[in-house]
Amino acid sequence: MSTMLARIGRDRQRYENNLRLVSGCIPYRFAKGNDSETDNLESRIEVLMISSPNRDDLVFPKGGWEDDETLEEAACREALEEAGVRGKLNEKPLGVWEFRSKSRQDMCSLEGGCKGYMFALEVTEELETWPERENHDRRWLSVKEAFELCRYEWMRRALENFLNTFEENWKQKFEATEELIESTPPTVSDCQIITPNLCIDHPNSSQRHGMTFSWLVPIRAYRCLE
């Protein structure tokens, strides 16, 4: 059994304009055994969803933001209490949404109204037992499966923002890598004194990593070290 205890009650719950403030996250990991560069980003990511007591739908871990913790701490706590995972939280929110508590769906009443902040959490530890294990099962899903299982529109929008953020970061890293490769001059390891303004084949260019190609390096003159 887990020695950790989930927080109960709403004595320290934060509210804003009659809305209960909620913090949660989309836990994710990179799918194992999927290293193909041709695969799109969506196929490389799995997200974690949890079951709700007495309901058939799946949701992302979330819960009340309390007055003795930061918004980010609340998101991490809920991930631990409800899903039994720890990880690295991206402190930039995926967005803010107003919605009704699943048990209070009367749109004509302020009771049950929530304002929720969602984050992305890269999972680094998955516990075998956790405080709310009896109430929440967890399930790893592809992004496509998660979209299909999201019961509420705000959850789908959060998942869309999650994926868009990843695609933008992925694109920036790819472009930065390309710029680094283009700006890095080739290294000639076995040099010889030659006439200025000539090009020579790199001594090891004929066979590199099982591929045959000719790498012409423009050089002027090198002094060889004995």
Side-chain angles (χ1 to χ4, degrees), residues 131-178:
E132 298 188 24
R133 183 181 180 184
E134 297 299 321
N135 296 325
H136 301 289
D137 292 327
R138 60 191 179 195
R139 181 178 171 187
W140 285 104
L141 302 162
S142 69
V143 175
K144 181 179 179 181
E145 290 172 328
F147 269 117
E148 294 173 350
L149 292 173
C150 284
R151 180 181 178 89
Y152 305 109
E153 176 63 24
W154 75 266
M155 291 174 54
R156 286 189 287 271
R157 290 172 56 194
L159 193 54
E160 288 175 356
N161 289 359
F162 166 84
L163 191 59
N164 290 338
T165 298
F166 256 96
E167 289 176 341
E168 183 62 28
N169 291 341
W170 195 276
K171 180 180 178 181
Q172 291 176 358
K173 289 181 180 180
F174 180 77
E175 291 175 347
T177 301
E178 279 192 326

Side-chain angles (χ1 to χ4, degrees), residues 20-28 46-53 57-65 71-87 89 94-95 97 99 102 115-123 125-126 130-133 135-141 146 150 152 154-155 158-159 162:
R20 180 179 178 229
L21 299 185
V22 170
S23 184
C25 64
I26 298 179
Y28 72 92
E46 294 177 333
V47 297
L48 185 66
M49 300 186 76
I50 58 174
S51 63
S52 300
D57 59 320
L58 297 178
V59 296
F60 297 115
K62 66 183 185 306
W65 175 19
L71 188 61
E72 295 79 10
E73 288 171 343
C76 292
R77 175 177 56 77
E78 291 295 336
L80 179 60
E81 290 180 356
E82 295 190 342
V85 293
R86 294 190 178 100
L89 189 79
L94 298 171
W97 292 272
F99 55 90
K102 58 181 176 291
K115 182 178 182 179
Y117 299 79
M118 294 295 290
F119 299 85
L121 176 78
E122 182 179 0
V123 173
E125 184 179 4
E126 192 170 346
W130 60 96
E132 298 188 24
R133 183 181 180 184
N135 296 325
H136 301 289
D137 292 327
R138 60 191 179 195
R139 181 178 171 187
W140 285 104
L141 302 162
C150 284
Y152 305 109
W154 75 266
M155 291 174 54
L159 193 54
F162 166 84

Side-chain angles (χ1 to χ4, degrees), residues 158-203:
L159 193 54
E160 288 175 356
N161 289 359
F162 166 84
L163 191 59
N164 290 338
T165 298
F166 256 96
E167 289 176 341
E168 183 62 28
N169 291 341
W170 195 276
K171 180 180 178 181
Q172 291 176 358
K173 289 181 180 180
F174 180 77
E175 291 175 347
T177 301
E178 279 192 326
E179 292 176 0
L180 179 61
I181 293 174
E182 291 175 356
S183 63
T184 303
T187 301
V188 179
S189 57
D190 301 321
C191 60
Q192 57 183 335
I193 299 176
I194 62 173
T195 305
N197 299 321
L198 291 181
C199 289
I200 63 171
D201 285 345
H202 188 283

